[in-house]
Structures are given as C-alpha cells and as structure tokens.
Amino acid sequence: MAFGLKMRKVDKNIIDKKVKEAAEALNLSEYLDRKPKQLSGGQRQRVALGRAIVRNPKVFLMDEPLSNLDANLRIQMRAEIKRLHKKLKTTFIYVTHDQTEALTMGDRIVVLDKGVIQQVATPNEIYNNPKNKFVAGFIGQMNFINAQIDDNKITIGDKNFELPLEIMTKLQDYNEVIVGIRAEKMLSGNVSIKVNTDIVEMTGGERCVYFELNNAKCSARIPLDYTFCEQIELHLSVDNMYFFDKDSGRNLLYQ
C-alpha cells in the first residue's frame, strides 16, 4: 500500500516514511499488506484520505471523508484532520452534511441550499447570527414557532413577551413572524410556560424532550436532573429568540 506514490517515481525510502506516518495517523498500520478489495468500506475511505495526505497538495478537497466510519473513529479522525491542517498550513475544502463536523473543524463555513450560498461566516457567526431560517435550522437544533405581534408584545403559548425598543423598531411592520429558539435555550428565561410532553430521549449527558407549542413541534435539551412528569415547565426569554420573515425566511435582526 504505497498510496499511489510509486507511480510518481518517489524514492522508496521517502515512500516508506510517508506511508508509515499516514498509516499510523489513520489506524491502517496492520493493513499495509492488504489490497483495497480486502478492506472494509471505512478502511477504504481512510486509504483514500491517506493518498491525499502523502502527496502534500496545495489544496485538499474532501467530500464527506468520514461518512463510513464508526462514531469513535470519526471523532478521532476529525482530530487528526485538524492536526494535519495545522501542520501543513494549507487550504482544506471539506464537504459535509454533519453539522458537528462543520462547527468543530471549520475556520469558515459555507452553507448551501440547492447549490445556492446562504451564508459564509465563522462557525460562531453561523451559529449565533444565522442569516435566515434555513441556516438557523441546518446548523444546530432550533424550534420555529409562529407568533403574533400586537402592541409591542409577542405571544407564545399563553404568555406575552415585551419586545425591547430596538427589536420592535425592526419588527414594526410585522403582525406575525416566525420565532426561533434553540433547543438548549428552552429553560434559560424568566417567563414560564407549561406544555405537555410527547417523547423523551436519553442522549447521554442530557435528555431531549419533544412537545408542541403554538401548534409547532418543538424540542428542549434539558439536564438529567431536571424533574418533570407529563408536563414540562419551559423558561423562555426574548434574549434567546430569533425573528424570521414568514415568507422569505430572512432573519429580521440579522446584522
């Protein structure tokens, strides 16, 4: 397994060194004497990554290189690719549908919808200041709730929320908007709303609770020690809300 270097007439000692380093980084050392057809799909994917690593290209083009790997190896390989990027100091263009990979690995993220660029920004900017509803829903777990605006207040569930002047100024032409609240922010406010729970999922260090609010299917990520039964008490705040145009999906507070 020379990762294609023999065809480029590279010195054998250099080939051996590069192959060994790449194989160790990709957990392929014990498979160096095998042919590609003797490898699993995930192993073949790592071989393809090894071929790119040993050639020291000016630009790496990676199209979902970790998709066939198991969860633990995927986490390990994310770290290896980041170390490789830091070491080589070259450009990586990395295509993925996995939002965790995008957020943890990217210096800048390009979010596309049907081939059209929706936003180009840092991971922090994409997550905290999405340009539109598509970006907000694609990166992270966000709830979208139809809400009415009346007399400088927005109504969600059976509660009214006072809108600060700087927000109301931008929403003054709207009677109805889509409110976005991230699942991890459903317990982070001072206005309480009780809702009936539907499904509860254990996700490791926390739980994910599903319910309906304003006829919208929503979810909340909650600590394991948060106590509830058939109802859960949400705690919402305007500070954690995003406001989107119902028709265009534009973030009305985007700056």
Side-chain angles (χ1 to χ4, degrees):
M1 189 185 293
F3 294 122
L5 289 174
K6 287 183 177 180
M7 296 180 65
R8 300 176 62 191
K9 298 181 180 179
V10 177
D11 182 84
K12 184 179 184 303
N13 291 329
I14 296 178
I15 291 177
D16 291 342
K17 180 181 178 182
K18 285 180 171 289
V19 169
K20 183 179 179 181
E21 290 175 350
E24 288 178 353
L26 297 168
N27 279 348
L28 289 171
S29 298
E30 61 184 291
Y31 305 108
L32 289 176
D33 59 343
R34 298 189 187 183
K35 296 183 181 297
K37 66 180 180 180
Q38 297 173 302
L39 302 175
S40 68
Q43 290 164 346
R44 292 182 190 182
Q45 204 161 20
R46 281 182 278 160
V47 169
L49 188 55
R51 286 174 174 161
I53 290 173
V54 298
R55 295 181 184 185
N56 298 324
K58 293 182 179 179
V59 179
F60 281 82
L61 305 177
M62 298 183 178
D63 187 359
E64 301 198 66
L66 310 182
S67 60
N68 287 337
L69 305 183
D70 61 55
N72 289 334
L73 188 54
R74 191 180 303 124
I75 293 172
Q76 179 182 335
M77 287 309 306
R78 285 207 306 258
E80 291 296 340
I81 291 174
K82 289 185 70 173
R83 290 191 192 99
L84 182 67
H85 177 253
K86 185 177 181 179
K87 177 182 178 181
L88 298 180
K89 294 181 172 60
T90 190
T91 301
F92 281 50
I93 299 176
Y94 190 106
V95 179
T96 180
H97 287 86
D98 188 315
Q99 58 178 270
T100 301
E101 285 184 13
L103 290 172
T104 59
M105 299 179 69
D107 295 309
R108 291 183 68 78
I109 298 175
V110 180
V111 180
L112 296 99
D113 180 26
K114 299 175 183 177
V116 178
I117 293 177
Q118 301 297 310
Q119 188 171 357
V120 182
T122 64
N124 184 67
E125 176 76 5
I126 289 284
Y127 192 82
N128 292 301
N129 191 25
K131 190 174 183 179
N132 55 41
K133 182 172 175 278
F134 177 84
V135 175
F138 189 74
I139 299 292
Q141 188 177 353
M142 183 175 285
N143 302 303
F144 297 107
I145 305 164
N146 290 323
Q148 303 291 327
I149 298 177
D150 184 40
D151 192 25
N152 295 346
K153 297 178 182 178
I154 193 162
T155 302
I156 298 177
D158 59 353
K159 298 295 176 68
N160 294 322
F161 295 78
E162 291 278 354
L163 294 173
L165 179 60
E166 61 270 22
I167 293 180
M168 196 59 228
T169 300
K170 296 185 177 182
L171 303 183
Q172 60 185 345
D173 296 329
Y174 293 85
N175 296 319
E176 189 175 5
V177 295
I178 297 175
V179 173
I181 310 175
R182 294 210 176 273
E184 65 270 24
K185 296 295 185 179
M186 298 299 281
L187 301 181
S188 301
N190 54 10
V191 177
S192 64
I193 299 176
K194 289 186 177 181
V195 295
N196 295 323
T197 61
D198 182 14
I199 298 172
V200 180
E201 292 180 341
M202 172 71 172
T203 60
E206 62 185 4
R207 287 177 290 178
C208 191
V209 180
Y210 296 88
F211 52 89
E212 284 196 3
L213 182 57
N214 280 28
N215 296 317
K217 294 186 181 300
C218 298
S219 62
R221 285 161 49 185
I222 65 172
L224 293 179
D225 59 359
Y226 191 82
T227 303
F228 65 96
C229 294
E230 294 181 355
Q231 284 192 327
I232 184 170
E233 186 173 9
L234 308 174
H235 298 277
L236 307 182
S237 169
V238 172
D239 293 339
N240 296 323
M241 295 180 185
Y242 298 82
F243 302 91
F244 302 97
D245 183 279
K246 282 193 67 177
D247 297 321
S248 68
R250 180 172 61 92
N251 182 353
L252 299 174
L253 304 184
Y254 178 75
Q255 297 179 346

